[in-house]
Amino acid sequence: MSDSKDRCCDPVMKGGIISEILYPSVIQEIAQKFYLVGIGGTSAGA
């Protein structure tokens, strides 16, 4: 895989207790390799 961000990604995340801990580091890792166009999500409490 190349180092340039020539690919797009639209992550959609599901809510939950683990998401508060896990998602920030995962999104940071994805953002190093992909151009993030939009980020969506769901929450049980919404």
Side-chain angles (χ1 to χ4, degrees):
M1 185 154 78
S2 72
D3 289 334
S4 66
K5 293 193 229 179
D6 57 352
R7 299 189 309 176
C8 296
C9 181
D10 286 323
V12 177
M13 298 168 282
K14 182 180 174 185
I17 190 70
I18 297 299
S19 63
E20 298 172 9
I21 299 165
L22 183 63
Y23 284 153
S25 60
V26 170
I27 292 297
Q28 183 178 10
E29 186 72 25
I30 292 171
Q32 292 176 8
K33 297 180 174 111
F34 294 91
Y35 175 71
L36 298 179
V37 177
I39 299 176
T42 63
S43 175

